[in-house]
Amino acid sequence: MNSKITIPDHKPTSKSPKFTKPISQPTFLLLLSLLSLPISLSSQPRRPPPIPILPIPTSAQLQWQLSETALFLHFGPNTFTDSEWGTGSADPAVFRPAALSATQWISVAKESGFSRVILTAKHHDGFCLWPSQYTNYSVRASPWRNGNGDVVGELAAAAEISGVQLGVYLSPWDRHEPCYGKTQEYNEHYMGQMTELLTRYGVIREVWLDGAKGEGEKDMEYFFNNWFSLIRQLQPQAVIFSDAGPDVRWVGDEGGFAATTSWSIFNRSAVKIGDTDPKYSQEGDPFGQDWVPAECDVSIRPGWFWHASESPKSAQTLLDIYYKSVGRNCLLLLNVPPNSSGLISDEDIQVLQEFNKLRKSIFSHNLATSSAVWASSTRQGIVDSQFESVNVLEEGIYSYWAPEKNQSDWALYLDFENQVTFNVLQVQEPIQMGQRVFEFHLDALNEEGQWDVVINGTTLGYKRILRFPTVVSDRLRFVIEKSREDPLISYLAIHMDSVSSLIVYNTSSTSYFNGSQVIRQSVYNHSQIVSM
């Protein structure tokens, strides 16, 4: 069934000139009207923002999400023994990096676009990369720096100088510690080591835990709630990661991919650390009571520790992972293991730099900024509107478009003076107001004057990025079909990705992408609020 063009009542009657930040006709008319208003009226109070829909992120969770990407640094005796899971019996003397430079690690991270790093301060083998007072199995027992070294300390100092956020991984499973398996004794031991890490090295932004443990290992009950309370007390700005939160959850795989439906909303009461449903971890829960966004971890190499026989993934592969992690409302935690010299390998650095260049080449320019933007409705104030549709052209989450309440349609329109060519859509919600959107689609006007669906999807969140075959059009329509409450959109962008291999088509044709029909004629029904 064909869908005729539906033009909003306040659509511009002629093509709008190009502006760096386009002004829609409603805004233009509003500005004109202000010139004739009494001075007393122009000082009237502004209309307040909509009420956030719970749950919403904490300040620490917001800072975590805004990071978008982080580097994971797996380093320790395994680096020198060609192992992944050390037994805890390796001689500390094997740990002797001849050229270790935490400054180099931080420089590589920052120059590659990463603002956060997480170090394996202790992996499953129990070897500590700081001189812990609770074990003899640490850098103090190694020949590195004549037993006076402190990898965590050097990394913390380098991170602070460069303004890079620091996180630590302290493995619950400890294959060296004799008291492992004795519940009370080991939990005291673990919390003692956690206290050292969280009181010696300045601000810690993320504490990373997991439930990894080999088959046939000693039974061990971890006092997670005690651990979490200690972390909150010592590092209130840190988020706590585990496969079940409390602040950040594991996405459920180590390939770096999130599900196409990705809610930051979750029910912590429905999961247990070490025993989670992978589908639930990937998708989240729109009816959940907790804000627990997902983190996607993956290694640049086949293994998590450095091995001389392994090579890094290509920059194009990392770009694909980026689309499927950050582009699906998650943070990408990319492991880049230092080598046995104590440096990040040149081949890994080259890939990271290429990956950074690819991202910049695609996302540094929003083609939508050359358009005139208007909306199906806008939440209006007495003399102004801080919720104008033009806000969606400003990158970030702290300004946004809001529709008027009790509307049956939610749509944003982009009108271009000339045709634009693109194959990527990027959309953000102001997540500080809660995650809202269930379903959406993007339309393009074809040569017959009808709307064709370019792509549709589920969930937006902090950032949603979708790829599709190349589109050429001069008028676009972004439609929200279902939402938990009136939708709010903070950023709407279109880009051209000339790197990824995609099928090219014209808006008047029908094509297929990844086995599913992408372009079809659009039937725009009324939008829907889902009862929570």
Side-chain angles (χ1 to χ4, degrees), residues 411-429:
L412 288 162
Y413 295 80
L414 304 179
D415 191 7
F416 296 85
E417 190 170 302
N418 301 302
Q419 286 194 327
V420 63
T421 302
F422 65 99
N423 57 12
V424 174
L425 170 68
Q426 180 180 175
V427 191
Q428 291 185 270
E429 290 184 86

Side-chain angles (χ1 to χ4, degrees), residues 24-64:
S24 66
Q25 189 185 23
T27 304
F28 177 70
L29 294 176
L30 189 59
L31 291 172
L32 286 179
S33 66
L34 285 176
L35 297 176
S36 61
L37 286 175
I39 295 177
S40 60
L41 182 57
S42 64
S43 63
Q44 291 294 318
R46 305 177 82 182
R47 186 172 178 182
I51 294 175
I53 180 170
L54 300 179
I56 58 176
T58 64
S59 174
Q61 287 173 319
L62 273 175
Q63 290 302 312
W64 171 89

Side-chain angles (χ1 to χ4, degrees), residues 163-235:
V164 173
Q165 299 172 10
L166 177 64
V168 293
Y169 167 53
L170 184 65
S171 171
W173 182 28
D174 190 324
R175 305 183 77 179
H176 177 84
E177 178 52 44
C179 72
Y180 187 85
K182 301 174 183 178
T183 297
Q184 184 73 24
E185 191 175 345
Y186 181 72
N187 276 280
E188 291 174 351
H189 172 86
Y190 185 87
M191 292 181 72
Q193 291 190 325
M194 181 69 77
T195 300
E196 290 179 328
L197 287 174
L198 302 187
T199 57
R200 294 183 182 179
Y201 302 110
V203 177
I204 302 297
R205 294 290 186 174
E206 184 164 353
V207 177
W208 215 90
L209 313 172
D210 64 12
K213 188 172 74 170
E215 293 183 9
E217 291 292 327
K218 301 172 185 176
D219 289 334
M220 184 71 225
E221 179 187 353
Y222 301 135
F223 292 171
F224 285 115
N225 288 335
N226 297 73
W227 300 1
F228 298 161
S229 295
L230 178 69
I231 295 167
R232 297 274 191 246
Q233 181 185 83
L234 300 178
Q235 291 286 348

Side-chain angles (χ1 to χ4, degrees), residues 231-245:
I231 295 167
R232 297 274 191 246
Q233 181 185 83
L234 300 178
Q235 291 286 348
Q237 298 182 62
V239 294
I240 304 171
F241 168 95
S242 81
D243 50 354

Side-chain angles (χ1 to χ4, degrees), residues 398-413:
Y398 292 109
S399 63
Y400 51 87
W401 164 71
E404 192 53 87
K405 291 187 66 65
N406 302 318
Q407 300 298 303
S408 59
D409 298 323
W410 301 315
L412 288 162
Y413 295 80

